[in-house]
Amino acid sequence: MSAPTLSLRVAIVGAGPAGIYAGNLLATAVKERGGALEIDLFESLPAPYGLIRYGVAPDHPRIKGIVNSLHEMLDAFPDTAEGEPAASRRTIRFIGNVEVGRDISLEELRERYHAVILATGAIRDAALDIPGVDLPGSYGAADFVAWFDGHPDVARTWPLEASSVAVIGNGNVALDVARVLAKHAVDLRSTEIPDNVLEGLESSAVTDVHVFGRRGPADIKFTPIELRELGEVNDVDIVLHDEDFDGVDPASATNNQLKVMLRTLNSWRDRPAGSASRRLHLHFWHAPVEITGDGRVEGIRFEKTRTDAEGRLVRTGEFRDYDVQAVYRAVGYYGTRVVDAPFDEARGVIPNDAGRVDAEPGLYATGWIKRGPVGLIGHTKSDALETITNLVADAEAGLLTAAKTDDDVLDVLDASGTAYTTWDGWLALDAHERHLGETHRHTRERVKVVPREEQVAVSRDGALVR
């Protein structure tokens, strides 16, 4: 006796890479089984792509190229023409500018779908528990990234009066923050950086950016491309300290990527002293102890570290002080919870077993909200595969509860007056931003629209706003 054909309605909360990968993998799995599938992909912002649009520095066109593959996934099926049967609907329907827990409840979703996948990611900064962390002039890297990427829910201005700045962290986000701070605004004019951000950076007083890591050069969490780009920034000297490299041998690196990066760092050490107008200092073996200042940031104190015979990081009792007027904390992200969904406050994730949310049949998680904010964007796809494999297995085993109602969720949103956006709306906004880029005084691929209300207006009217 053959297994029954799958027929599923699934909601995905979050239209970043995690949610889109999950939707595409689910659509492929159901299609291979000859089943029927409808996915509604909910996003709290008017536009899709999440981390790619609002978490990647604007001078990274290669990374932003991932948008092209995500676009192909969402654009794989035509919109339903009025009067066409439900069977001809697009498999994945984008519903933007809708926050689950505010515009519609998680329970309302679960009533209308066989399964709900939470892919809300992590957009808040992880805490750094040291004295002085709340002083004015101490900033979370996530907030700064959201500003320079034109996130609609952050302020349009950013204080850039500091001449000397500390960035705490040894990952790609720390490098993005440091590079944008050190880079001359004129070298960002060809990117999709918003005009208000460009104007802010043009007035920046920065001359020195210091990047601090707890461990040594052999433990950096950068990628070779990120590191190499740092050395190519115009009119910025890279400053390294020989004491940080004692005993560090590229030949003993644990992998080829690290070997390449250590060779890159060594090549910078061999450069003659430069005369650039700005400097980017890389410090290793520094554990932050205290941010100091009388009423605002005036300095930062570190304790030097080393590794013991067993490779454990230990503190040495030696302290170093640096005069800085701003501190950027790039020590990780913290998950974005969904109202009424289980949440592990300590870890910042939704508790789950391989994507199945604990004690919540029919509820799943994927991406950073599932496993924590670790790994590169590409790792999200394999992570989604695990979740989708288990969802499909549950469906085939008859473990998913049938939807309680066939009501279209758009009727609920219409009744509440929610100004949601659609895939066609995103195509209109995308065309509008590209049009602005073509006519801009600095020719660029696009000029990103920042205000939420303007994004929604263009998306819903489907016409260019001159």
Side-chain angles (χ1 to χ4, degrees):
M1 183 175 179
S2 62
T5 301
L6 284 182
S7 180
L8 295 175
R9 295 172 67 187
V10 176
I12 300 176
V13 182
I20 296 174
Y21 283 140
N24 185 64
L25 288 167
L26 180 58
T28 300
V30 173
K31 182 179 180 180
E32 289 174 348
R33 289 162 174 78
L37 175 68
E38 291 181 28
I39 297 175
D40 282 343
L41 182 61
F42 294 88
E43 171 56 52
S44 62
L45 296 168
Y49 307 138
L51 178 66
I52 304 298
R53 184 169 166 92
Y54 292 117
V56 176
D59 58 346
H60 274 174
R62 287 187 298 273
I63 295 178
K64 284 183 176 290
I66 296 173
V67 165
N68 294 332
S69 62
L70 298 180
H71 177 101
E72 290 173 2
M73 294 178 195
L74 289 180
D75 202 40
F77 300 90
D79 280 321
T80 306
E82 187 173 349
E84 286 188 355
S88 66
R89 292 177 186 164
R90 67 161 59 243
T91 300
I92 303 177
R93 185 170 62 170
F94 173 73
I95 305 173
N97 203 40
V98 173
E99 183 174 328
V100 175
R102 180 194 65 193
D103 301 308
I104 192 167
S105 70
L106 180 59
E107 182 58 32
E108 286 177 302
L109 292 187
R110 301 193 71 181
E111 289 175 349
R112 288 167 171 78
Y113 301 90
H114 296 93
V116 176
I117 303 172
L118 304 178
T120 49
I123 60 173
R124 290 170 48 195
D125 286 287
L128 178 63
D129 188 17
I130 61 173
V133 74
D134 295 323
L135 280 171
S138 172
Y139 308 107
D143 294 333
F144 184 59
V145 171
W147 174 72
F148 68 58
D149 268 332
H151 194 291
D153 298 336
V154 302
R156 301 291 183 267
T157 59
W158 191 273
L160 291 165
E161 300 92 351
S163 60
S164 187
V165 175
V167 179
I168 304 173
N170 252 180
N172 283 339
V173 174
L175 279 198
D176 276 355
V177 169
R179 192 181 63 257
V180 170
L181 285 169
K183 204 167 192 175
H184 291 276
V186 66
D187 296 320
L188 291 166
R189 287 179 178 175
S190 63
T191 74
E192 64 179 43
I193 193 166
D195 282 344
N196 64 293
V197 177
L198 191 61
E199 291 169 6
L201 292 172
E202 284 172 344
S203 63
S204 173
V206 71
T207 59
D208 291 84
V209 179
H210 299 262
V211 182
F212 296 93
R214 292 175 183 265
R215 290 184 173 269
D219 295 295
I220 54 179
K221 303 300 181 184
F222 314 139
T223 58
I225 291 177
E226 287 268 0
L227 190 62
R228 186 173 65 249
E229 287 176 346
L230 204 63
E232 298 170 352
V233 179
N234 179 51
D235 193 32
V236 175
D237 285 334
I238 305 295
V239 181
L240 295 165
H241 304 273
D242 288 341
E243 65 175 358
D244 289 340
F245 289 83
D246 288 345
V248 177
D249 180 9
S252 62
T254 55
N255 58 66
N256 287 333
Q257 280 200 337
L258 179 58
K259 185 179 295 185
V260 168
M261 289 190 288
L262 290 178
R263 286 174 175 167
T264 298
L265 291 172
N266 276 334
S267 71
W268 294 345
R269 291 171 61 201
D270 295 335
R271 287 180 181 178
S275 57
S277 65
R278 294 181 178 180
R279 289 153 296 281
L280 205 160
H281 310 254
L282 298 181
H283 305 268
F284 301 95
W285 308 112
H286 279 66
V289 173
E290 181 182 7
I291 299 172
T292 59
D294 183 9
R296 67 166 296 106
V297 171
E298 296 175 351
I300 186 166
R301 171 169 291 183
F302 293 88
E303 185 174 0
K304 289 287 287 180
T305 62
R306 63 175 177 82
T307 53
D308 63 14
E310 297 180 2
R312 294 173 301 190
L313 189 71
V314 296
R315 298 186 181 233
T316 66
E318 178 188 351
F319 294 89
R320 300 275 179 94
D321 293 296
Y322 297 85
D323 293 329
V324 297
Q325 301 85 50
V327 173
Y328 291 79
R329 309 179 305 275
V331 296
Y333 287 96
Y334 186 81
T336 305
R337 69 180 307 158
V338 176
V339 176
D340 294 331
F343 192 70
D344 184 333
E345 296 282 354
R347 298 174 56 221
V349 299
I350 292 173
N352 69 94
D353 180 9
R356 296 182 175 103
V357 176
D358 295 354
E360 295 283 349
L363 190 61
Y364 300 84
T366 192
W368 281 3
I369 198 62
K370 168 189 173 184
R371 57 185 166 85
V374 292
L376 302 175
I377 293 170
H379 296 157
T380 305
K381 189 169 186 177
S382 58
D383 181 62
L385 179 60
E386 178 183 60
T387 296
I388 295 306
T389 298
N390 286 330
L391 188 158
V392 171
D394 291 346
E396 292 181 324
L399 299 179
L400 300 184
T401 303
K404 296 179 181 178
T405 175
D406 289 331
D407 294 348
D408 192 335
V409 72
L410 296 186
D411 294 334
V412 178
L413 297 173
D414 285 332
S416 65
T418 302
Y420 60 85
T421 59
T422 64
W423 181 245
D424 280 347
W426 159 246
L427 295 180
L429 178 59
D430 181 48
H432 175 54
E433 291 184 340
R434 292 177 184 276
H435 171 76
L436 293 177
E438 292 172 357
T439 58
H440 200 271
R441 64 182 184 277
H442 308 301
T443 302
R444 56 180 75 171
E445 180 181 352
R446 75 172 65 239
V447 173
K448 190 182 292 182
V449 173
V450 177
R452 180 184 289 262
E453 59 275 14
E454 185 176 340
Q455 290 187 46
V456 173
V458 175
S459 297
R460 289 175 68 85
D461 292 345
L464 297 180
V465 176
R466 301 292 180 180

